[in-house]
Amino acid sequence: MVQQEISLTRETELSDEDLAEVQRCRRPANRLGFAYQIVFARVHNRLPRQQPLEIDEALLSSTASQLRIDVTQVDDYAKRQHTVSDHQSRIRSHLGSRAFDGDAVEQLEAFIFEESRRVEQAEALLGRAQQFLRDRGILLPADYALHRIIGEQRKLARTEIYRRIGESISESTRRSLDDLLNVPLGKRKSPLQRLKSNPSKPSPDAVVALTDKIETIRDTGGLEIDLSWLSANYQRSLYHYVRASTVHRLKSVECERRYASLLCFLWQSYRDALDQLINMFDKLMTRMNTKAEKDLDKKMREQRRSIKDSMEAVQTVGHVLLDEDIHDAELRSVIFERISEERLSSVIAEIADWVTGKKSDVFHAVVAKFSYLRRFTPELLRALSLVGQRDGPVRACVEAVDLLKTMNDENKRTLPEDAPLGFIPDRLMPIVRKDDGSIDRHAWETALMFRLRDELKSGNVHVPQSKRFGCFEDYFIPGEDWDSRREAFFRRANLPGNPRDVADYLENRLNAAYDLFLNSADDNSFAVATDDGWQFSKDCTEELDSETDQKLDGLKLWLSKRMRRIRLADLLIEVDNELGFTSHFLPVGSQGERDPDDITVVLAALMAHGCNIGPYTMAQLTNGVSYRQLKKVSDWHLTPETQKAALACLVRGIVGLDTTLHWGEGKTSASDGQRFSMRRKVLQQTYSLKFSDFAMEFYSFVADNYAPFYSLPIECTNRDSAFVLDGVLYNETDLELEEHYTDTHGYTDINFAAFAMLGRRFCPRIRGLRNQRIYRIGNRRDYGSLSSIVGRSDRKVNPRAIVAHWDRIGHFYASLERGHTTASVALKRLVSYDENNQFYRANRDLGRIFKTEFLLSYLSEPGLRSRIRRGLLKVEQLHALARDVYYARRGRINVRELHQQVNSCSCLTLVLACIIYWQAKEISRVVGDSAFAESGLDTGLLTHISPIEWDNVILYGEYVINRRLIRRTVAA
């Protein structure tokens, strides 16, 4: 049976009222059975099945222990079906619970119907239905009853949604949608299949292909239909349905469903294509600038000798000019004695090219690539609709873009005399404006494209309907929603809700951090503040004495001899038999009965993606499993929602093991990225200098008890910092995380503000502590030994901007917590702003205050430094195991589509969680053996044992050599 979580202890304890009701039963068997049913109903919100009596061993054992009744008495109780039934009526009355009667059915049906209009997944609806009944004190009915109601209401909600969308579709749009499913003459793919394809690596041709995709979507007329009333979750569900379906499958479904699904697919694809187009534009512009810099460096190396000769000539002239013994009237003659006039003229000409000519600025080399730029910018501008602030350089940039669009449409080549120039930096103005006052078209347009790229990334210019580059205001939940959550949000984070209290609160909190550091300064040998800055000594790491180290070696040896060896496939089967995590990948109607054939296909699919084998190769290696079966499970059942639910099930299993308490209580976590080679020529492909290859990063989160609870793939060029909140906010486990650790790549000042606003503590291990700044608020206190460090004028934070934006800051992070927009998307946009943006400054300054508080704690508390090291070490251990598990194709990511990359990352995490659960349980088995108690080994040393460091799991397949195929003699 599944082990119960420690958090369920309160529900399993019998209260005085419970015990009084139990004592009304005369026989011990009846008392045990009655109490067991009470506990079962509290934990599961339903009564156990009667024929035969459903037994939860953990709950029964806990109940029997409290009553001091032999657990075997339940066998006698289970035989008395009439008594069991009678007791259930009494228990409903005692708990104040209602039976699932007609009124409850109507309430649930109405609730599920409304939820089905927002959420399409049956698994999610099942969880919400159970919570709905629990909140209203209604006991759960049989599983089939819930599944029936969910199925009926989903069907009704779908019909309503499809009907409403269908009423808004014109006949011309219907024909356009049908045309997406037909293969044109002379083509090999349907338009829909081309819309599904992942963008190629950045190139002018790839930009053109993306703009064609955007135009194809616009031409259907589908974007003219307003779907804002339909939840984004439901739209994404229909989007994934179309992405996984073939053209033939879509043609076979009913018209209304087909049209609704295609419209959602078009809207989501359009928004994704806009983001991809801007991302590709950014990479191309960056590549152009990098190539120009390399070309300039190459020319400099090639002309190193001539440049050196020129500098020697300039040095000669300089020495003559500075020689006070030479009179001014003799300067020319002396200079020409040492260097000829012809040589000096030649030197000046060579230097002029580097000082004011085409080699003076890398921008000249970029302008020289103007023909490359023109291969994609007209199509890019035609595809984008831009909205910007109407003031200063941003306004000039938008006006210049509008002018360029008009010139492109009218095929004009000459710029008007009044062309906008306000967006051009002063450094480039001499290059853009010629000596005769005219404007160099090539330089002007090149400067405009670079400025447009920067303004899009910073958010000063946004693209309507774009997810990542849209309007910043779209990231906030509606005002009325925030008003209803505001008080609870600030209270949960222990922060003042009234902006007038914020300044004093922050100053008092920061001063308390300074007091803590200064009070321990005399005993602090790690960090000492001096007039020259910080002085650090080597931090003392945790080291065991020789006797304890020998005992630990003995414990490891004992465990290694007694822990079983097991194949990965068998391990997954054992874990699934105990936890049933594969049920989340099965249709809702078939989750009650486990079909071994279905489970086999699911486990094979998990290994195919998690071990990087691939479905096709996995089908060749696994008897009785076909590629078609694996493809079906991969496309339709291994969804992000089901994978999160399965991982949550595994995490509950890990938390429920007593052994994992030696490693942590699930209160702290850490995250870091791991890079895998990826040679596929797709938009996500980036070159990693540290990895020395094209790569993609799997960013993983692990709790202190070694439970991996979230993962996602990201580009190597992205800083990890924007993605740290994703794992903390959007995992579906029951972990109550209070403290999170990262390395330097996961740190920004903004993250300190984000974690504090969400009631958590952010604890990064920051490289180069000596260069980190600490800040103060006001000048009303003595900072003691820190005065020289914190007393500088640039170390003061004025909380005025924080106070002015306090409510808006809370509104922003409440929106991220709610999932209104993904935290990584919103934070990337926020950190891209400059200091002129007041909201960014308020978040940055708030982060600096909390960062100062953390740094003072980090420098004065060895325990905090030790926790951070241990947390990050666990992530590194997880990465080492992941490298071994993800072994096929030499650990190289070979899938092209983004959803396939997400699938590989999630399946890998699921396999890792299974291994960790099995190893921890195996350690529990060995330690719980009577021989261990007789060995004299110390269980306290399990703190220093990891469930990852063992090699008893056989990760690779078996080679079967059929002896009957071997000839005894070699053919001539």
Side-chain angles (χ1 to χ4, degrees):
M1 299 297 294
V2 179
Q3 299 192 42
Q4 301 300 310
E5 294 181 79
I6 298 173
S7 60
L8 295 178
T9 302
R10 184 164 48 188
E11 285 84 351
T12 59
E13 288 183 354
L14 295 168
S15 65
D16 293 339
E17 292 79 5
D18 296 336
L19 293 173
E21 191 70 21
V22 168
Q23 291 305 317
R24 292 177 56 190
C25 302
R26 290 177 295 177
R27 301 175 67 249
N30 289 354
R31 289 198 296 272
L32 176 61
F34 187 87
Y36 164 70
Q37 290 201 73
I38 289 177
V39 172
F40 189 98
R42 281 212 178 97
V43 172
H44 297 290
N45 194 41
R46 64 178 176 85
L47 292 168
R49 291 187 294 272
Q50 295 186 35
Q51 297 181 350
L53 181 64
E54 183 180 358
I55 299 297
D56 186 317
E57 297 290 352
L59 297 184
L60 179 61
S61 175
S62 173
T63 306
S65 175
Q66 294 180 68
L67 297 179
R68 298 181 180 179
I69 297 176
D70 187 359
V71 71
T72 59
Q73 292 280 344
V74 78
D75 296 332
D76 183 39
Y77 177 77
K79 298 175 182 177
R80 306 174 184 271
Q81 292 298 320
H82 178 74
T83 303
V84 172
S85 180
D86 180 61
H87 281 182
Q88 290 189 352
S89 298
R90 285 176 53 193
I91 289 170
R92 278 195 290 267
S93 177
H94 171 69
L95 297 177
S97 300
R98 296 166 49 196
F100 191 67
D101 53 18
D103 183 51
V105 171
E106 291 181 2
Q107 293 181 38
L108 181 61
E109 286 178 344
F111 172 77
I112 292 298
F113 178 77
E114 290 300 321
E115 288 297 305
S116 297
R117 298 171 66 179
R118 291 188 286 270
V119 179
E120 205 278 336
Q121 294 83 10
E123 182 75 19
L125 290 173
L126 178 62
R128 298 189 183 192
Q130 293 170 342
Q131 188 61 43
F132 175 84
L133 296 176
R134 181 183 291 273
D135 293 342
R136 284 154 182 77
I138 303 173
L139 294 178
L140 295 178
D143 289 344
Y144 73 87
L146 280 181
H147 293 156
R148 177 183 58 79
I149 292 174
I150 290 173
E152 292 174 351
Q153 298 307 313
R154 283 180 73 203
K155 185 175 181 179
L156 291 174
R158 281 177 176 174
T159 303
E160 171 66 19
I161 290 172
Y162 298 159
R163 180 195 61 78
R164 183 173 175 180
I165 294 177
E167 290 176 350
S168 61
I169 305 177
S170 65
E171 285 301 320
S172 61
T173 302
R174 289 174 183 264
R175 288 193 295 270
S176 298
L177 295 177
D178 289 333
D179 290 341
L180 291 177
L181 308 180
N182 298 321
V183 180
L185 292 175
K187 301 289 185 179
R188 299 179 59 185
K189 295 181 179 180
S190 65
L192 178 64
Q193 191 63 31
R194 292 198 297 272
L195 293 179
K196 290 182 181 181
S197 61
N198 197 29
S200 180
K201 69 176 185 178
S203 68
D205 292 339
V207 171
V208 174
L210 259 179
T211 57
D212 289 344
K213 178 178 180 177
I214 292 172
E215 288 301 320
T216 300
I217 295 174
R218 287 174 176 168
D219 291 342
T220 62
L223 301 182
E224 298 175 4
I225 298 173
D226 181 22
L227 294 181
S228 59
W229 56 271
L230 184 61
S231 74
N233 186 295
Y234 207 102
Q235 289 190 47
R236 284 193 293 270
S237 176
L238 294 183
Y239 163 82
H240 289 302
Y241 171 76
V242 173
R243 180 182 53 76
S245 298
T246 63
V247 168
H248 299 291
R249 182 185 183 113
L250 290 171
K251 285 183 177 181
S252 65
V253 301
E254 58 187 15
C255 295
E256 297 303 324
R257 180 182 183 184
R258 179 169 69 247
Y259 293 141
S261 301
L262 286 173
L263 283 176
C264 291
F265 173 82
L266 292 177
W267 263 110
Q268 295 294 317
S269 298
Y270 177 71
R271 301 185 69 189
D272 288 338
L274 290 176
D275 289 350
Q276 293 164 351
L277 182 61
I278 298 172
N279 187 16
M280 190 175 293
F281 170 53
D282 173 34
K283 291 184 176 182
L284 285 175
M285 299 303 293
T286 302
R287 181 187 299 173
M288 281 182 60
N289 191 72
T290 302
K291 184 68 167 58
E293 289 177 346
K294 290 181 178 180
D295 291 344
L296 194 61
D297 291 342
K298 181 180 179 181
K299 291 180 180 178
M300 183 173 288
R301 289 192 300 269
E302 292 174 349
Q303 299 180 15
R304 183 178 301 168
R305 182 60 191 173
S306 62
I307 293 174
K308 181 181 178 181
D309 292 342
S310 299
M311 298 306 295
E312 289 176 350
V314 172
Q315 183 183 42
T316 300
V317 173
H319 285 162
V320 173
L321 293 174
L322 295 175
D323 191 344
E324 297 180 355
D325 296 333
I326 302 176
H327 298 291
D328 292 349
E330 301 174 354
L331 284 176
R332 289 176 60 84
S333 60
V334 173
I335 288 174
F336 290 138
E337 285 179 2
R338 301 187 181 181
I339 182 173
S340 66
E341 185 174 357
E342 294 78 8
R343 173 59 181 151
L344 185 58
S345 298
S346 175
V347 166
I348 291 174
E350 292 178 2
I351 292 177
D353 204 25
W354 289 97
V355 175
T356 59
K358 293 185 177 181
K359 300 176 184 177
S360 61
D361 195 299
V362 69
F363 186 70
H364 286 287
V366 176
V367 174
K369 301 180 182 298
F370 181 74
S371 60
Y372 180 84
L373 190 73
R374 286 291 297 180
R375 289 175 56 187
F376 62 88
T377 53
E379 288 76 11
L380 171 84
L381 297 179
R382 191 178 301 116
L384 297 179
S385 298
L386 305 175
V387 179
Q389 302 171 357
R390 295 298 173 181
D391 58 348
V394 178
R395 178 180 180 181
C397 178
V398 175
E399 290 176 348
V401 169
D402 292 339
L403 172 62
L404 184 56
K405 284 184 177 181
T406 302
M407 294 178 61
N408 290 336
D409 293 339
E410 298 176 358
N411 200 23
K412 292 183 178 180
R413 297 187 177 183
T414 304
L415 284 168
E417 295 182 358
D418 60 345
L421 296 175
F423 64 88
I424 298 176
D426 294 339
R427 176 179 66 88
L428 302 182
M429 189 61 75
I431 304 175
V432 174
R433 188 177 286 280
K434 300 178 182 178
D435 295 338
D436 59 2
S438 61
I439 301 174
D440 186 323
R441 162 73 184 274
H442 293 187
W444 180 87
E445 187 171 338
T446 304
L448 175 61
M449 290 298 102
F450 276 98
R451 186 58 180 253
L452 176 61
R453 186 231 9 212
D454 295 340
E455 299 296 356
L456 283 170
K457 292 175 65 177
S458 66
N460 294 327
V461 173
H462 69 267
V463 179
Q465 306 302 335
S466 170
K467 294 180 180 178
R468 181 179 170 189
F469 302 97
C471 180
F472 192 75
E473 296 300 321
D474 295 340
Y475 297 154
F476 292 78
I477 58 177
E480 58 274 13
D481 195 357
W482 163 238
D483 291 338
S484 65
R485 299 170 179 271
R486 186 182 185 283
E487 182 179 352
F489 176 82
F490 285 117
R491 183 173 61 249
R492 188 172 64 252
N494 292 321
L495 295 171
N498 192 334
R500 288 176 294 184
D501 301 332
V502 171
D504 290 339
Y505 170 82
L506 293 176
E507 185 171 3
N508 293 336
R509 180 166 174 172
L510 192 57
N511 285 339
Y514 276 109
D515 290 339
L516 179 65
F517 179 87
L518 293 174
N519 291 338
S520 61
D522 293 339
D523 300 325
N524 189 350
S525 60
F526 172 68
V528 178
T530 67
D531 293 340
D532 297 328
W534 291 107
Q535 296 293 329
F536 294 107
S537 61
K538 185 178 180 180
D539 196 12
C540 296
T541 57
E542 294 179 285
E543 294 184 1
L544 302 177
D545 56 67
S546 58
E547 181 180 356
T548 305
D549 196 43
Q550 289 179 359
K551 291 181 179 179
L552 180 60
D553 289 340
L555 176 60
K556 290 181 178 179
L557 182 62
W558 176 278
L559 292 174
S560 64
K561 287 182 177 179
R562 288 161 177 80
M563 290 174 67
R564 292 180 294 151
R565 296 186 66 82
I566 189 171
R567 295 170 58 245
L568 179 60
D570 296 335
L571 181 149
L572 295 178
I573 292 173
E574 283 194 19
V575 174
D576 184 54
N577 287 340
E578 295 185 24
L579 302 181
F581 71 93
T582 59
S583 63
H584 299 283
F585 303 116
L586 301 175
V588 175
S590 63
Q591 290 180 3
E593 298 182 4
R594 290 165 54 85
D595 187 336
D597 292 336
D598 293 340
I599 302 298
T600 298
V601 176
V602 170
L603 293 178
L606 286 177
M607 288 190 291
H609 297 289
C611 299
N612 203 28
I613 299 172
Y616 180 79
T617 305
M618 194 70 191
Q620 314 303 314
L621 300 175
T622 310
N623 292 329
V625 176
S626 67
Y627 170 74
R628 186 174 182 179
Q629 290 175 301
L630 293 176
K631 189 72 167 58
K632 179 181 178 181
V633 169
S634 301
D635 289 343
W636 296 100
H637 301 296
L638 295 182
T639 64
E641 293 77 18
T642 57
Q643 288 168 335
K644 287 181 181 180
L647 184 59
C649 176
L650 290 168
V651 171
R652 284 195 297 271
I654 294 173
V655 172
L657 295 172
D658 293 338
T659 304
T660 60
L661 289 175
H662 291 279
W663 306 318
E665 298 179 356
K667 300 290 187 181
T668 68
S669 58
S671 61
D672 196 11
Q674 181 178 21
R675 297 184 177 183
F676 294 92
S677 174
M678 187 177 76
R679 304 292 297 182
R680 298 304 297 265
K681 297 179 180 180
V682 292
L683 180 60
Q684 297 88 359
Q685 183 194 59
T686 50
Y687 189 81
S688 171
L689 293 175
K690 290 186 177 180
F691 199 70
S692 299
D693 197 358
F694 290 99
M696 171 169 276
E697 189 170 294
F698 286 178
Y699 196 68
S700 303
F701 295 75
V702 62
D704 52 19
N705 53 16
Y706 285 99
F709 60 88
Y710 195 81
S711 62
L712 74 164
I714 62 176
E715 292 186 22
C716 295
T717 53
N718 289 326
R719 275 183 62 90
D720 300 347
S721 56
F723 301 91
V724 173
L725 266 185
D726 283 5
V728 175
L729 290 180
Y730 306 137
N731 74 85
E732 296 188 2
T733 68
D734 297 326
L735 296 172
E736 298 178 358
L737 302 173
E738 299 173 354
E739 199 169 79
H740 187 74
Y741 316 126
T742 70
D743 59 10
T744 303
H745 284 279
Y747 137 76
T748 61
D749 290 347
I750 299 292
N751 273 359
F752 281 101
F755 272 80
M757 293 299 294
L758 294 168
R760 295 174 172 89
R761 192 180 188 192
F762 182 52
C763 302
R765 182 177 61 188
I766 306 175
R767 183 174 56 247
L769 277 176
R770 183 174 283 102
N771 301 321
Q772 293 297 320
R773 297 181 177 185
I774 59 175
Y775 297 87
R776 71 184 192 279
I777 299 177
N779 302 304
R780 295 183 291 180
R781 66 159 294 160
D782 178 19
Y783 292 95
S785 60
L786 296 174
S787 298
S788 60
I789 295 177
V790 76
R792 303 171 189 173
S793 59
D794 60 348
R795 305 298 171 87
K796 182 179 179 181
V797 172
N798 188 343
R800 185 180 306 169
I802 300 174
V803 173
H805 290 85
W806 184 250
D807 191 76
R808 183 169 165 79
I809 291 173
H811 190 177
F812 177 69
Y813 291 111
S815 302
L816 304 189
E817 184 179 45
R818 178 82 184 278
H820 181 72
T821 189
T822 307
S824 55
V825 172
L827 290 181
K828 277 194 276 190
R829 171 57 65 88
L830 181 59
V831 299
S832 66
Y833 286 120
D834 55 28
E835 291 192 2
N836 294 326
N837 186 287
Q838 295 297 318
F839 185 68
Y840 164 76
R841 289 186 62 182
N843 278 271
R844 183 203 62 186
D845 290 348
L846 181 63
R848 286 178 172 179
I849 293 173
F850 293 125
K851 170 188 169 183
T852 300
E853 179 185 47
F854 162 73
L855 287 176
L856 293 172
S857 299
Y858 182 86
L859 297 176
S860 59
E861 298 179 23
L864 175 59
R865 299 195 295 271
S866 178
R867 290 202 307 273
I868 295 174
R869 281 195 300 268
R870 287 199 302 269
L872 293 176
L873 178 61
K874 290 175 182 178
V875 186
E876 293 300 327
Q877 290 178 325
L878 186 72
H879 287 174
L881 178 60
R883 186 68 67 184
D884 291 337
V885 172
Y886 203 72
Y887 65 89
R889 299 186 179 93
R890 294 174 293 175
R892 182 177 64 238
I893 299 174
N894 199 45
V895 290
R896 177 182 178 85
E897 303 296 332
L898 179 59
H899 71 271
Q900 294 174 327
Q901 297 159 6
V902 172
N903 200 23
S904 291
C905 182
S906 298
C907 288
L908 172 60
T909 305
L910 285 170
V911 173
L912 296 177
C914 288
I915 293 174
I916 291 170
Y917 172 81
W918 189 89
Q919 295 282 37
K921 193 169 184 298
E922 190 68 8
I923 293 174
S924 297
R925 181 188 65 79
V926 175
V927 172
D929 189 85
S930 58
F932 183 84
E934 299 171 358
S935 67
L937 295 171
D938 184 6
T939 56
L941 293 177
L942 287 175
T943 304
H944 306 286
I945 298 293
S946 166
I948 298 178
E949 62 185 9
W950 310 95
D951 59 357
N952 55 323
V953 177
I954 303 171
L955 299 174
Y956 315 116
E958 295 180 351
Y959 295 98
V960 179
I961 301 177
N962 192 340
R963 290 175 173 79
R964 289 177 297 179
L965 298 178
I966 301 175
R967 293 183 178 179
R968 293 184 178 275
T969 59
V970 179

